[in-house]
Amino acid sequence: MPIINKMISTLIPYLPKLLIYQFAKKYVAGVSQESALKTIQNLNDQGYLATLDILGEHTEDESSASSITNQYIQLYKEINSRSLDCNISLKPTHIGADISLDTYNANLKKIIIESERVNNFLRIDMESSKYTDFTINSFIRERERGVNIGTVFQAYLFRTYNDITKLDPTNLNIRLCKGIYKEHPKICINDRKKINENYMKILRYAFQSNIYVGIATHDTTLMESIHKLIKELNISNEMFEFQVLYGVPMHGWNKKNLDNGYKVRVYIPFGEDWYKYSIRRLKENPDIAGYIIKNLFKK
Ligand code: FDA
């Protein structure tokens, strides 16, 4: 099956867009801002929190980066006027990190002004290791100015434990995930079990240092260990939230976490870039390509 999936993944760009959309719509909350906002309302009604992400990355020109910035500003306004329980997650390269530091900083500043005006929170997603220092430095700079901001740490990087322990833990808000980019084995743990061990080591440190953690994972084995750690250290549910990607099956864990009184935040991607995003996801994970074929034959 994996070989077949690999073959399918090379054919993906030639599959009809409509078919790809059949796959994508499970993971993407539509193309328009309105469809994403409706999805959030729906999730809020069921007790879930949300974080909203406009799909896209590696913006190449000033005017596109500026347009994305304005869309994020507009989103904060809509979240506020509709009283949604939702913050924003954005990728540095989407708002200009590849163009110049000045462009990125200027756009980030505009978004932060709006996020502060409406008393919301901003999460800077973590991209590949090329941007790790860039992102952490930008996060530290804004945090030192008192901005309500957080970033993301990836348990698969050797450097991560050190990066986190170097930060002042006071009022620190991080998302902890495994990491999704292909990295060189020199800088990254490749063994899945060892990634989980590092995840738990970092999480234990964070809990013991009173750091607020967005625990981002769909791994149910890891989830068991996390629940045990929460109980062992008697962590207040005010000090963490679970975070999941929109559409990823959680085999009852989302409901279980809500029933336990834990917060669950759903990461909701949307936007015109859904096609590129889905193709990339499919190419990165040929196993998912098999689902496309199943969809082909579904009634
Ligand atoms: P694992 O990879 O073991 O997956 C567990 C199960 O979930 C498997 O059955 C798998 O098939 C399924 N699954 C996982 N992801 C799926 C997907 N997208 N579609 C369908 N099934 C899926 N990474 C990063 O580098 N920078 C970041 O800023 C973020 N941000 C982020 C936010 C949130 C809310 C989440 C949940 C994840 C991220 N990630 C991320 C991605 C993260 O690093 C990681 O790659 C994925 O979550 C997969 O790792 P898991 O911990 O879920 O375990």
Side-chain angles (χ1 to χ4, degrees):
M1 192 64 174
I3 295 169
I4 295 173
N5 285 346
K6 204 153 196 136
M7 281 164 59
I8 294 165
S9 78
T10 49
L11 293 174
I12 278 165
Y14 307 101
L15 291 174
K17 213 169 170 179
L18 203 65
L19 183 63
I20 302 288
Y21 190 72
Q22 290 309 309
F23 157 81
K25 69 179 182 194
K26 190 168 173 242
Y27 301 101
V28 174
V31 178
S32 69
Q33 180 180 285
E34 193 53 37
S35 65
L37 292 165
K38 280 193 178 131
T39 303
I40 296 166
Q41 183 65 67
N42 197 289
L43 286 164
N44 279 177
D45 291 346
Q46 297 172 58
Y48 294 99
L49 313 174
T51 187
L52 201 47
D53 163 68
I54 304 173
L55 285 168
E57 54 208 333
H58 301 298
T59 307
E60 285 171 0
D61 61 276
E62 298 271 353
S63 77
S64 307
S66 174
S67 157
I68 297 297
T69 300
N70 290 334
Q71 287 175 49
Y72 273 120
I73 291 170
Q74 189 55 34
L75 279 178
Y76 272 127
K77 290 186 200 300
E78 288 295 333
I79 289 168
N80 186 49
S81 70
R82 298 178 193 213
S83 304
L84 295 172
D85 206 332
C86 177
N87 58 42
I88 279 175
S89 294
L90 63 76
K91 293 188 174 47
T93 67
H94 203 195
I95 59 161
D98 282 345
I99 301 168
S100 75
L101 183 59
D102 283 351
T103 303
Y104 168 75
N105 279 338
N107 288 336
L108 184 69
K109 196 169 168 195
K110 286 182 195 158
I111 294 169
I112 285 173
I113 288 172
E114 190 58 27
S115 119
E116 292 195 312
R117 192 186 71 79
V118 294
N119 206 12
N120 206 323
F121 172 84
L122 176 66
R123 171 90 54 202
I124 312 181
D125 283 350
M126 189 60 79
E127 301 185 72
S128 72
S129 59
K130 187 179 161 197
Y131 303 96
T132 310
D133 283 323
F134 181 97
T135 305
I136 293 175
N137 292 341
S138 149
F139 161 67
I140 291 175
R141 224 176 19 249
E142 297 307 329
R143 186 168 121 83
E144 282 174 351
R145 293 201 305 113
V147 174
N148 192 10
I149 196 165
T151 191
V152 180
F153 289 91
Q154 299 153 321
Y156 70 171
L157 292 185
F158 290 125
R159 60 176 285 173
T160 296
Y161 184 78
N162 198 26
D163 282 338
I164 295 182
T165 51
K166 273 198 308 210
L167 293 172
D168 175 1
T170 320
N171 294 327
L172 183 59
N173 181 325
I174 63 164
R175 174 191 300 149
L176 182 61
C177 66
K178 289 188 190 177
I180 201 156
Y181 300 88
K182 281 206 171 73
E183 298 290 358
H184 196 280
K186 274 193 182 150
I187 61 161
C188 162
I189 311 170
N190 272 307
D191 181 284
R192 291 176 67 83
K193 196 163 162 265
K194 291 205 171 118
I195 294 174
N196 282 9
E197 282 165 14
N198 201 37
Y199 194 107
M200 292 307 293
K201 178 180 158 188
I202 296 164
L203 187 61
R204 180 178 285 273
Y205 166 78
F207 279 159
Q208 289 176 329
S209 312
N210 284 324
I211 295 169
Y212 185 91
V213 196
I215 304 169
T217 184
H218 315 105
D219 181 338
T220 50
T221 311
L222 193 56
M223 194 67 93
E224 300 271 5
S225 310
I226 293 165
H227 272 237
K228 277 191 199 136
L229 187 65
I230 290 167
K231 291 208 175 81
E232 180 198 322
L233 299 178
N234 196 20
I235 302 299
S236 151
N237 36 7
E238 291 308 308
M239 289 313 293
F240 65 90
E241 62 191 42
F242 288 101
Q243 296 189 352
V244 293
L245 297 177
Y246 179 67
V248 175
M250 286 298 290
H251 316 286
W253 276 94
N254 285 344
K255 175 88 176 45
K256 188 172 166 184
N257 282 333
L258 280 188
D259 290 347
N260 268 336
Y262 299 155
K263 287 174 272 182
V264 180
R265 188 177 299 277
V266 183
Y267 184 110
I268 301 174
F270 81 99
E272 285 165 11
D273 244 15
W274 71 266
Y275 182 72
K276 269 199 276 177
Y277 170 83
S278 308
I279 294 284
R280 247 194 329 269
R281 293 287 89 82
L282 283 165
K283 282 184 151 180
E284 276 167 15
N285 188 351
D287 288 344
I288 300 180
Y291 298 133
I292 290 281
I293 285 296
K294 278 189 206 149
N295 269 324
L296 259 179
F297 297 108
K298 258 190 191 165
K299 281 196 186 139

